[in-house]
Amino acid sequence: MTGNAIKLESIMLRRLVPVILAAVLAACGRAEPDDGKVHVRYLASPDVGGFSKVIIDRFERANPGIKVDMIEGPSSGDARENMYSTAFMAKDDAYDLAYVDVAWLPKFAAQGWLRPLDDLLPPDKAAVFLPGDLEGSRYQGRLYRVPIQSDGGMLYYRKDLLAAKGIPVPRTWAELVAAARKTQTADITGFVFQGKQYEGLVCAVLEVVWGFGGDLLTPDGEVRIDRPEAVAALQALVDAIYKDKISPQAVLTYQEEEARNVFQEGRAVFMRNWPYAWNLMQKEGSPVRGKVGIVPMVSGPGGRSAATLGGWGFALSAYSRHPEEAYKLAEFFASVESQKLAFLQGGILPTRKALYADPAVLAAAPHMKDLGRVLATARPRPVHPRWPRMSDALQLHVSAALSRQETPEEALQAAAVEIRAAAAR
């Protein structure tokens, strides 16, 4: 069996397991505790910083008739997406709310799994949120998500290491490579990023592709991922591992937390990651506290800096038995007080515009101005109901290129064929 066949089989198994679980869910149904309260349930990533539990405790004290069941799922977004899809495919009410990544929304909405929220969050009320986060919450003109967490990929760097060598902060890919090579040592690698085969890899790669002047899918549906600019971008990432040797081969196993841990332990000069990592690195006892800077991701020749738009929000399940209570929880998480707590305690970037001028936020985090620069360059992944299939194809072949099973040109040509087939269906 070839390497690609093994990876394809892995994707198929990843999709199959939730389908099997769906049958179990459909057979069992959701049991409601007999405690006289309405239970609102949702699946979340691990509660880094513990802020979600604090917000939930405040909500339950303000709403004594409602009990929130937050299920801490796996850290992998792909795994959580599959768990949500499993329940929705079975038309199960396992979750009242879905904590939805911007990339999942088209698929979930197109399948009819989510309830539109335009009546609950009309334009005058929605205007408090950042425009990009609102745009990422819509599908075919309808609003399906309450924005809770804004996001955009960016470049972290060690200010002290660059200053010691008299090296300016890089703005281009060539400058990044040169700076990494000059500052890395036997114990400190140059550049870490999310290189594992999952959605985070696509986010990281798209930033480099856009930075090199390439694209994946144009607004009118033209697939451009096999163009020379994109090939050059992927070649640059491959070279970072094997030619320039600024990234360890272990990066092929890294998701967000693996990259953060390496960087936060002082073992990397540069890191591509999301804003959540900032507050964690500034905590008491962090080896890199006070030594970190952030800038938009560097650009390549012919392109300009860009960040992959991330962001999460609460969507209301079409199968919820408690839609009113569930939406009340979503509103509470989206409040000024909750978003401020989530940012100060967990580094969760707010979606409310007012918080970027909030004195308490700016006093605790002057870098919010830099984060604003990152969000100004943010671009969404293609808003397409078949994005998961497109993403799987890109993940598969980019991973093959990074592990040198395919050349960058072969990888992106093969990915383009599969993406065009998915778009045509």
Side-chain angles (χ1 to χ4, degrees):
M1 184 177 288
T2 66
N4 277 353
I6 292 172
K7 288 184 178 181
L8 183 58
E9 181 176 303
S10 174
I11 289 176
M12 293 174 66
L13 286 173
R14 191 181 74 203
R15 300 285 184 186
L16 181 60
V17 169
V19 173
I20 296 172
L21 182 57
V24 177
L25 286 171
C28 298
R30 171 175 165 181
E32 289 284 338
D34 185 19
D35 58 4
K37 295 185 178 183
V38 172
H39 282 247
V40 174
R41 184 183 300 177
Y42 74 97
L43 176 72
S45 58
D47 189 16
V48 178
F51 64 89
S52 291
K53 290 183 176 65
V54 176
I55 294 172
I56 288 170
D57 181 63
R58 292 178 178 179
F59 175 81
E60 289 177 341
R61 281 190 275 114
N63 299 273
I66 304 175
K67 179 73 173 68
V68 179
D69 297 327
M70 180 185 72
I71 302 169
E72 289 196 49
S75 60
S76 167
D78 289 355
R80 296 197 306 279
E81 179 192 2
N82 286 337
M83 292 173 73
Y84 274 126
S85 297
T86 293
F88 292 153
M89 283 190 291
K91 297 185 177 181
D92 194 272
D93 65 342
Y95 309 114
D96 298 287
L97 290 170
Y99 198 56
V100 178
D101 182 276
V102 65
W104 308 349
L105 191 77
K107 170 188 170 182
F108 284 19
Q111 294 289 339
W113 294 342
L114 307 179
R115 180 194 186 283
L117 303 177
D118 302 271
D119 58 329
L120 298 172
L121 191 59
D124 59 327
K125 290 185 178 180
V128 299
F129 298 107
L130 293 167
D133 288 297
L134 279 176
E135 190 60 32
S137 300
R138 292 191 178 98
Y139 176 68
Q140 293 187 343
R142 305 197 73 178
L143 188 70
Y144 286 93
R145 195 182 68 157
V146 180
I148 302 295
Q149 176 180 351
S150 190
D151 230 349
M154 59 189 182
L155 184 68
Y156 288 80
Y157 66 93
R158 285 285 299 278
K159 296 187 295 185
D160 57 328
L161 297 181
L162 294 188
K165 297 281 188 178
I167 300 172
V169 179
R171 304 295 177 182
T172 68
W173 183 265
E175 291 173 354
L176 170 65
V177 172
R181 294 182 70 174
K182 290 177 181 177
T183 51
Q184 66 183 4
T185 67
D187 300 317
I188 303 176
T189 195
F191 173 54
V192 292
F193 62 96
Q194 293 73 53
K196 187 174 181 177
Q197 185 181 319
Y198 78 119
E199 184 70 21
L201 172 62
V202 172
C203 295
V205 168
L206 281 179
E207 289 171 356
V208 182
V209 168
W210 291 329
F212 273 66
D215 206 349
L216 170 56
L217 190 70
T218 64
D220 60 359
E222 181 186 3
V223 177
R224 299 177 62 88
I225 196 60
D226 53 351
R227 298 293 181 91
E229 297 86 355
V231 174
L234 182 53
Q235 184 68 62
L237 279 175
V238 173
D239 288 347
I241 301 172
Y242 303 103
K243 179 183 175 183
D244 301 317
K245 298 186 183 300
I246 62 170
S247 298
Q249 291 190 38
V251 80
L252 302 183
T253 67
Y254 288 2
Q255 296 188 42
E256 285 82 1
E257 280 296 271
E258 289 81 5
R260 180 185 69 82
N261 287 333
V262 170
F263 187 84
Q264 187 164 337
E265 289 166 3
R267 296 189 286 117
V269 184
F270 296 100
M271 172 183 69
R272 184 272 172 199
N273 215 321
W274 304 94
Y276 86 97
W278 174 270
N279 279 20
L280 298 173
M281 288 186 289
Q282 303 307 319
K283 285 189 173 182
E284 188 73 37
S286 169
V288 297
R289 184 181 184 186
K291 302 176 181 178
V292 178
I294 53 174
V295 289
M297 190 60 188
V298 297
S299 63
R304 61 181 182 178
S305 179
T308 300
L309 177 68
W312 297 78
F314 275 121
L316 185 57
S317 167
Y319 311 111
S320 171
R321 281 186 277 170
H322 311 298
E324 182 178 341
E325 293 83 359
Y327 184 75
K328 184 177 288 188
L329 176 63
E331 272 192 317
F332 195 87
F333 262 91
S335 69
V336 170
E337 295 76 12
S338 295
Q339 289 204 12
K340 185 185 294 188
L341 172 67
F343 175 73
L344 295 176
Q345 188 168 324
I348 300 302
L349 202 59
T351 57
R352 284 182 172 264
K353 291 182 286 189
L355 285 174
Y356 287 84
D358 184 276
V361 171
L362 292 176
H367 74 289
M368 285 292 277
K369 293 181 180 178
D370 294 327
L371 285 177
R373 291 177 55 216
V374 171
L375 292 178
T377 70
R379 296 179 57 176
R381 284 156 279 178
V383 181
H384 197 288
R386 290 194 169 81
W387 170 248
R389 289 183 179 272
M390 296 177 180
S391 178
D392 277 349
L394 193 56
Q395 291 173 37
L396 176 69
H397 292 288
V398 166
S399 181
L402 292 179
S403 58
R404 295 202 291 191
Q405 297 179 55
E406 298 175 352
T407 68
E409 185 173 15
E410 291 169 344
L412 294 185
Q413 285 178 349
V417 169
E418 295 177 31
I419 291 169
R420 289 187 180 103
R425 290 179 182 174

Coordinates of all heavy atoms in Angstrom, one line a residue, residues 21 26 54 74 84 134 163 176 195 231 240 253 258 282 319 362-363 386:
L21 N -20.7 5.7 15.3 CA -21.2 6.3 16.6 C -22.5 6.9 16.4 O -23.4 6.9 17.3 CB -20.2 7.4 17.0 CG -20.5 8.1 18.4 CD1 -20.6 7.0 19.5 CD2 -19.4 9.1 18.7
A26 N -28.3 7.4 17.8 CA -29.7 7.3 17.3 C -30.5 6.3 18.1 O -31.6 6.4 18.4 CB -29.7 7.0 15.8
V54 N -15.8 29.4 34.3 CA -16.2 30.6 35.1 C -17.4 31.2 34.4 O -18.4 31.6 35.2 CB -15.0 31.6 35.1 CG1 -15.4 32.9 35.8 CG2 -13.8 31.0 35.8
P74 N -11.9 16.4 22.2 CA -10.5 16.4 21.8 C -10.0 17.8 21.4 O -10.8 18.6 21.0 CB -10.5 15.4 20.7 CG -11.8 15.4 20.1 CD -12.8 15.7 21.2
Y84 N -19.7 16.4 16.0 CA -21.0 17.1 15.7 C -21.7 16.6 14.5 O -22.9 16.4 14.5 CB -20.6 18.6 15.4 CG -20.5 19.5 16.7 CD1 -19.4 20.2 16.9 CD2 -21.6 19.5 17.6 CE1 -19.3 21.0 18.1 CE2 -21.5 20.3 18.7 CZ -20.3 21.1 19.0 OH -20.2 21.9 20.1
L134 N -18.7 38.5 11.5 CA -20.1 38.4 11.0 C -20.2 37.7 9.7 O -21.0 36.8 9.4 CB -20.8 39.8 11.0 CG -21.3 40.4 12.3 CD1 -21.9 41.8 12.0 CD2 -22.4 39.5 12.9
A163 N 17.3 40.6 18.6 CA 18.0 41.8 19.1 C 19.5 41.5 19.4 O 20.4 42.3 19.1 CB 17.4 42.4 20.3
L176 N 12.7 35.8 6.7 CA 12.4 34.8 7.8 C 13.5 33.7 7.8 O 14.0 33.3 8.8 CB 11.0 34.3 7.6 CG 10.6 33.1 8.5 CD1 10.6 33.5 10.0 CD2 9.3 32.5 8.1
G195 N 2.2 21.4 11.1 CA 2.5 20.6 9.9 C 1.8 19.2 9.8 O 2.0 18.5 8.9
V231 N 2.7 26.6 -6.0 CA 3.8 25.5 -6.0 C 5.1 26.1 -5.4 O 5.7 25.4 -4.6 CB 4.1 25.1 -7.5 CG1 5.3 24.1 -7.5 CG2 2.9 24.3 -8.0
A240 N 12.1 24.6 4.0 CA 12.3 25.0 5.4 C 12.7 23.8 6.2 O 13.5 23.9 7.1 CB 11.1 25.6 5.9
T253 N 4.3 16.5 12.9 CA 3.4 15.9 13.9 C 2.7 17.0 14.7 O 2.0 16.8 15.6 CB 4.1 15.0 14.8 OG1 5.1 15.7 15.6 CG2 4.8 13.9 14.1
E258 N 1.4 21.6 20.1 CA 2.8 21.1 20.0 C 3.7 22.2 19.6 O 4.8 22.4 20.2 CB 2.8 20.0 19.0 CG 2.2 18.7 19.5 CD 0.7 18.6 19.3 OE1 0.1 19.6 18.8 OE2 0.1 17.6 19.8
Q282 N 2.7 34.7 28.3 CA 3.0 35.8 29.2 C 2.7 35.5 30.7 O 2.9 36.4 31.6 CB 2.2 37.1 28.8 CG 2.4 37.5 27.4 CD 3.8 37.7 27.0 OE1 4.6 38.2 27.8 NE2 4.2 37.2 25.9
Y319 N -32.0 20.5 15.9 CA -32.6 19.4 16.6 C -32.7 19.6 18.1 O -33.1 18.7 18.8 CB -31.8 18.1 16.3 CG -31.6 17.9 14.8 CD1 -30.3 18.0 14.3 CD2 -32.6 17.7 13.9 CE1 -30.1 17.8 12.9 CE2 -32.4 17.5 12.6 CZ -31.1 17.6 12.1 OH -30.9 17.5 10.7
L362 N -6.7 47.0 27.0 CA -5.5 47.6 26.5 C -4.4 47.7 27.6 O -3.2 47.5 27.3 CB -5.8 49.0 26.0 CG -6.6 49.0 24.7 CD1 -7.0 50.4 24.3 CD2 -5.9 48.2 23.5
A363 N -4.9 47.9 28.9 CA -3.9 48.0 30.0 C -3.2 46.6 30.2 O -2.0 46.5 30.4 CB -4.6 48.4 31.2
R386 N -18.8 22.1 0.2 CA -17.9 20.9 0.1 C -16.5 21.3 0.5 O -15.6 20.6 0.1 CB -18.0 20.4 -1.3 CG -19.3 19.8 -1.7 CD -19.3 19.0 -2.9 NE -20.6 18.2 -3.0 CZ -21.7 18.7 -3.5 NH1 -21.8 19.9 -3.8 NH2 -22.8 17.9 -3.5

